[in-house]
Amino acid sequence: MTETAAVLVPEAPTLPKLREAAAVCKACPLWEGTTQTVFGEGPAKARVIIVGEQPGDREDREGHPFVGPAGRELARGMEAAGLARDEVYITNTVKHFKYKARGKRRIHQKPDAAEIRACLPWLQAELEVVRPQALVCLGATAAQALLGRSFRVTRERGTLVESELAPIVSATIHPSAILRAPDERERQAEREAFAQDLRVVVEAMG
Ligand code: URA
């Protein structure tokens, strides 16, 4: 087991080179029991990078980020905010699905600090290659990995944050939180607030 993925990041990286190198990453134990590394996707010249937590069950099986239920909420929020899919690079903080097997089901588990640290060089390399105008962190895992452990999404969501990572940086809730809303009314309110947070970034980009 390597300390972090840093030694695997190719020199003069491009997105295809990064994807290829990350496909065989064993920098933390999460690769065991997963189908594949789920690397980021989108144009190398994307204006915006959106960073989630980690692939879920569907993403692990299909090999693409945000293709499951949370991905549907993300797509809905992006559309409402006027963010076209082809101007966004979508990725995750951790590139393997962490889960606990319960019978035939695979229950999502939060990645821990060591797993996040091990995987971070991939995300840093994606940011360096894409050099987006705007970075949006979805949920506490992405926000704390990129903006610091003291970042609180509940307090700072939808605000513009000072960071060297991109000219415009912001964080909002993870779209899976919308799915956990107790009833349809709250779900709609969460959806609207999520879209509004994304609109802040769209408007800042001009
Ligand atoms: N949740 C995430 O954070 N990322 C995905 O790719 C899917 C669900």
Side-chain angles (χ1 to χ4, degrees):
M1 177 172 132
T2 41
E3 262 265 291
T4 80
V7 291
L8 303 173
V9 174
E11 271 179 43
T14 60
L15 293 178
K17 278 201 221 171
L18 286 171
R19 165 183 294 279
E20 192 186 337
V24 292
C25 186
K26 295 181 178 173
C28 84
L30 291 184
W31 65 274
E32 272 177 287
T34 60
T35 312
Q36 56 199 314
T37 303
V38 180
F39 207 67
E41 284 181 358
K45 289 199 169 87
R47 292 209 297 157
V48 185
I49 284 196
I50 293 182
V51 184
E53 183 193 70
Q54 60 165 345
D57 180 72
R58 277 278 295 280
E59 289 79 14
D60 172 69
R61 285 187 275 118
E62 295 183 22
H64 305 288
F66 281 104
V67 289
R72 273 197 298 280
E73 289 299 334
L74 174 59
R76 195 193 269 253
M78 281 170 51
E79 198 183 340
L83 257 183
R85 182 65 189 82
D86 65 1
E87 57 181 346
V88 181
Y89 183 88
I90 298 182
T91 191
N92 281 300
T93 310
V94 167
K95 268 92 172 150
H96 280 112
F97 177 34
K98 182 174 182 180
Y99 65 91
K100 197 184 261 171
R102 193 175 298 158
K104 278 192 181 154
R105 291 186 61 207
R106 303 193 295 174
I107 312 296
H108 165 276
Q109 300 257 283
K110 257 193 180 311
D112 66 26
E115 291 150 358
I116 292 167
R117 195 171 63 91
C119 208
L120 208 52
W122 296 121
L123 180 54
Q124 285 163 338
E126 288 172 298
L127 280 162
E128 276 161 32
V129 170
V130 177
R131 290 192 174 280
Q133 188 185 352
L135 159 69
V136 183
C137 301
L138 302 179
T141 298
Q144 293 182 356
L146 291 173
L147 308 177
R149 301 277 306 161
S150 62
F151 191 93
R152 292 289 171 269
V153 171
T154 42
R155 204 173 52 213
E156 296 176 77
R157 64 179 290 184
T159 65
L160 299 179
V161 188
E162 205 49 53
S163 164
E164 285 170 6
L165 295 172
I168 296 162
V169 176
S170 194
T172 182
I173 56 161
H174 193 284
S176 61
I178 299 170
L179 300 167
R180 290 195 298 271
D183 54 45
E184 191 51 34
R185 202 183 139 131
E186 280 201 38
R187 192 155 28 251
Q188 280 305 340
E190 291 286 1
R191 271 183 188 136
E192 187 42 47
F194 179 62
Q196 185 50 38
D197 289 348
L198 296 179
R199 258 180 230 122
V200 169
V201 173
V202 173
E203 278 162 22
M205 287 194 302

